[in-house]
Amino acid sequence: MATLLSVNVGRPRDVPWRDRMVHTGIWKQPVDGPVTARRLNLDGDGQGDLNGHGGEQRAVMVYQADSYEHWRRHLNRTDLGWGVFGENFTVEGLPDDEVCIGDRYRIGEAEFEVTQPRTTCYRVGLRLGDDRMPALLVSHHRPGFYYRVLREGQVQAGDDILKIAAGPGQISVAATDALLYLPNGDVDTMRRLLTVDALSPGWRGSFRDLVDQSDSPQTQPLTRPAPAWDGFRRMRAVRLVHETDLVTSVYLQPVPEGVLPRALPGQYLTLRFPGAGDPPPVRSYSLSAPVVDGYRISVKREAHGLASSYIGTTLVSGDVVEVAAPRGEFILDDGDEPVVLLSAGIGVTPVLAMLHALAAAHTSREVWWVHTTRGVATHVLAEEARRLVDSLPAGRSNVFYTSNDTGPAATGLARGRRLNRFALAELGLPTDATAYVCGPTPFMEAMTAALADLGLAPSRIHTEVFASLSAINPGVVAGDGKAPHAPPTPGTGPMVTFARAGLTVAYDEGKASLLEMAEACSVPTRWSCRTGVCHTCVTALLSGSVTYAPSPLTEPDAGEVLVCCSRPDGAVVLEL
């Protein structure tokens, strides 16, 4: 019979790590005597990051004495005492390859249910002083697992662990962990797991996405199109049109002349401008319309925008720029449900490309064109959009000017009114629509919330963000909020460009990874395991190549890179 060897608890605390502080509860210590297991925790215990740990589905972490022996041998360490892996229960027995999702156990007065394997996280490496640990736990099939508390009660070291029910499907913790984190997971086993009610919502969602991708392979080229070429290619600005005082449309054709692959409606280009500075600035701009044998972008000149100012004031017809292949997942679907194209200011560009595609296809779908801007002077590409909407049998246009501009009356034009939840509600948008939203970040956040409040499914509300994405740095205490910047000590390695941040710096060879380089430059980053397991850090690699150390357990898709465990082979451009 399995036995509870140790009960370990610990309150969250701030721990210094890589010139930062991490708020974490992974420091657990054995306690004597009985401890009450409650729905969310053991008495005296806590978690620093409730997004990845703790809560009802992850109330109690379990790890095995046999795994301790394994790591003592593998790591050649003698300092691994109970609780060092962050577990609440150290147990004799209950191996990961035998315990199954949904299994139920009685320990002391309490009853528990297995909900998921350990969440792969860098903090176990922090606790053991070995950054490899998140990847090793997965590759050695020894993750440990979480309990949900079914019945509260006291437990203590020495209690017997009695199995009282077997989970349906009998899919082990180790097998479940490998399905998610290792390559070539069996989709039929994932389907079986989705029938196990005990599986935690987070893991259920991950497996549901993987099953849906397998069941609908025809949708993959639409949602994740592979880049049409690697790196940058030369293109010539063959025509420039000043749409307004601040917005310029640039028509691009390849050098030498040739056929360009068709871009999908909603995608963007990343451009490098050799004539605009040293190092050349790199920026991304939405494709605003399909054109024959080329691409069109429409760019608003920003007060301190090096690239946009160059386009608006210096670039002339005949100049050559460097262009990466069309990218992006903000792409018009090919369904038959109503479409809402919702934009503010220059955010009109990707949804205008979608409007062009719908008009070219003579779609019978309901198309709701909803746009807001200050007034006539800032209403970029207005006549183009009006003609396209008018060509659609089920097209509807609603434009909101925040000022009281004078001018001819137009159907669907509101002056002196802001586009907000109440204005959207009055439009009567169909709740079965798919919405595409682009504009300043606060606008997109407000519109996303408003559309969901009005009944649109959150999964059908899509947004496009060109600034740096919001950071995912689990447990890291907020820093000083500095803008992206070059590090105080210049590097001596190859040039690294963070395209979203608009920053190019020399790589510091003292950094272990591109992730560490980004952090040194205050470029917002997303990560969790930092060892190539979870793919939270996956980033588009616009040009260049990298070397991995350690090698990721699952390779990223073509044109992508895991920045947490890679270093540049030469100059690279990252979509960070």
Side-chain angles (χ1 to χ4, degrees):
M1 179 178 290
T3 305
L4 179 58
L5 299 178
S6 180
V7 178
N8 316 298
V9 301
R11 295 290 190 185
R13 55 169 138 165
D14 289 347
V15 178
W17 176 74
R18 299 178 187 270
D19 299 323
R20 288 172 286 177
M21 299 296 291
V22 174
H23 189 64
T24 177
I26 198 169
W27 264 259
K28 311 290 187 189
Q29 297 295 329
V31 293
D32 296 326
V35 176
T36 301
R38 304 192 187 277
R39 186 175 62 87
L40 297 180
N41 243 327
L42 301 182
D43 281 355
D45 194 45
Q47 292 81 29
D49 171 27
L50 292 177
N51 288 322
H53 308 276
E56 184 174 355
Q57 300 294 326
R58 298 170 299 215
V60 178
M61 175 66 203
V62 181
Y63 210 54
Q64 304 89 353
D66 180 65
S67 287
Y68 268 88
E69 287 303 316
H70 172 83
W71 295 121
R72 286 169 181 147
R73 292 190 303 271
H74 183 79
L75 302 174
N76 193 27
R77 291 180 60 165
T78 60
D79 61 337
L80 303 181
W82 301 150
V84 75
F85 282 88
E87 79 276 11
N88 299 113
F89 289 172
T90 313
V91 299
E92 183 70 49
L94 303 187
D96 289 334
D97 59 357
E98 294 182 12
V99 171
C100 297
I101 305 298
D103 284 355
R104 295 185 174 187
Y105 297 90
R106 180 179 299 121
I107 307 175
E109 299 174 348
E111 292 183 2
F112 306 87
E113 182 177 59
V114 179
T115 59
Q116 66 169 73
R118 176 199 300 267
T119 302
T120 300
C121 171
Y122 74 103
R123 277 162 289 209
V124 68
L126 168 64
R127 179 66 179 89
L128 272 73
D130 189 331
D131 292 341
R132 302 172 300 163
M133 287 312 303
L136 290 174
L137 291 175
V138 174
S139 62
H140 286 233
H141 305 288
R142 293 178 179 272
F145 57 88
Y146 280 105
Y147 275 148
R148 179 165 70 99
V149 179
L150 299 177
R151 187 176 73 184
E152 296 183 345
Q154 289 189 339
V155 298
Q156 61 182 325
D159 283 344
D160 291 334
I161 302 175
L162 176 65
K163 185 174 181 179
I164 57 176
Q170 286 295 280
I171 302 168
S172 74
V173 167
T176 302
D177 194 62
L179 279 176
L180 186 61
Y181 291 128
L182 296 178
N184 305 316
D186 181 68
V187 176
D188 287 338
T189 305
M190 295 180 195
R191 290 194 181 93
R192 287 170 51 209
L193 265 172
L194 290 173
T195 67
V196 180
D197 292 339
L199 183 67
S200 68
W203 283 64
R204 180 178 300 279
S206 297
F207 286 127
R208 171 54 62 197
D209 289 344
L210 292 170
V211 169
D212 288 346
Q213 290 173 18
S214 174
D215 289 346
S216 304
Q218 69 277 7
T219 66
Q220 299 312 298
L222 178 64
T223 57
R224 294 185 64 83
W229 64 83
D230 294 330
F232 288 83
R233 64 186 295 181
R234 286 159 51 87
M235 291 194 188
R236 192 181 310 279
V238 297
R239 182 183 174 205
L240 285 84
V241 177
H242 296 288
E243 310 285 1
T244 70
D245 289 344
L246 291 178
V247 176
T248 301
S249 288
V250 182
Y251 292 76
L252 299 164
Q253 289 186 352
V255 178
E257 293 183 0
V259 177
L260 284 175
R262 181 179 67 90
L264 298 176
Q267 287 189 302
Y268 63 86
L269 299 178
T270 300
L271 291 86
R272 184 162 57 197
F273 301 91
D278 184 19
V282 176
R283 298 291 187 276
S284 296
Y285 300 108
S286 292
L287 290 152
S288 56
V291 295
V292 177
D293 297 330
Y295 297 136
R296 185 186 82 174
I297 58 173
S298 300
V299 180
K300 179 183 177 183
R301 187 168 76 251
E302 303 292 348
H304 302 290
L306 183 59
S308 65
S309 294
Y310 176 77
I311 290 171
T313 63
T314 306
L315 187 71
V316 296
S317 179
D319 284 351
V320 172
V321 297
E322 298 172 341
V323 184
R327 281 176 167 81
E329 297 183 3
F330 185 70
I331 299 169
L332 178 70
D333 69 20
D334 57 358
D336 55 8
E337 74 280 359
V339 180
V340 177
L341 304 177
L342 178 55
S343 59
I346 196 61
V348 70
T349 52
V351 293
L352 181 62
M354 296 179 183
L355 186 61
H356 271 284
L358 291 164
H362 306 290
T363 186
S364 60
R365 299 169 72 175
E366 280 186 56
V367 178
W368 293 74
W369 178 259
V370 186
H371 180 67
T372 183
T373 186
R374 178 170 174 76
V376 173
T378 60
H379 193 175
V380 62
L381 301 166
E383 181 59 25
E384 185 175 314
R386 185 194 64 77
R387 290 196 308 269
L388 292 169
V389 174
D390 287 349
S391 73
L392 296 172
R396 297 171 172 82
S397 177
N398 293 272
V399 176
F400 295 79
Y401 287 171
T402 57
S403 70
N404 286 303
D405 268 1
T406 59
T411 302
L413 174 61
R415 292 184 172 87
R417 189 173 185 196
R418 294 195 173 276
L419 179 56
N420 53 27
R421 186 221 180 273
F422 302 104
L424 280 181
E426 291 177 0
L427 298 181
L429 300 174
T431 57
D432 61 341
T434 296
Y436 300 88
V437 186
C438 190
T441 299
F443 169 82
M444 290 191 292
E445 291 173 348
M447 292 298 99
T448 297
L451 290 167
D453 191 40
L454 293 172
L456 273 71
S459 62
R460 289 184 174 271
I461 304 171
H462 308 286
T463 59
E464 178 69 300
V465 179
F466 283 110
S468 293
L469 300 174
S470 58
I472 299 176
N473 304 160
V476 174
V477 178
D480 53 16
K482 287 183 179 179
H485 58 84
T489 303
T492 59
M495 301 305 290
V496 177
T497 296
F498 301 108
R500 286 181 181 265
L503 179 67
T504 299
V505 296
Y507 186 74
D508 180 350
E509 297 289 359
K511 302 298 182 187
S513 66
L514 285 162
L515 173 59
E516 288 191 11
M517 190 69 211
E519 291 171 335
C521 297
S522 296
V523 172
T525 55
R526 296 180 161 204
W527 49 266
S528 180
C529 73
R530 300 182 74 99
T531 55
V533 178
C534 68
H535 284 223
T536 302
C537 73
V538 67
T539 300
L541 179 65
L542 303 184
S543 72
S545 61
V546 301
T547 299
Y548 284 108
S551 297
L553 298 185
T554 303
E555 290 283 344
D557 292 339
E560 295 181 334
V561 61
L562 301 181
V563 295
C564 76
C565 56
S566 60
R567 294 167 58 95
D569 283 335
V572 296
V573 179
L574 301 168
E575 194 184 24
L576 273 179

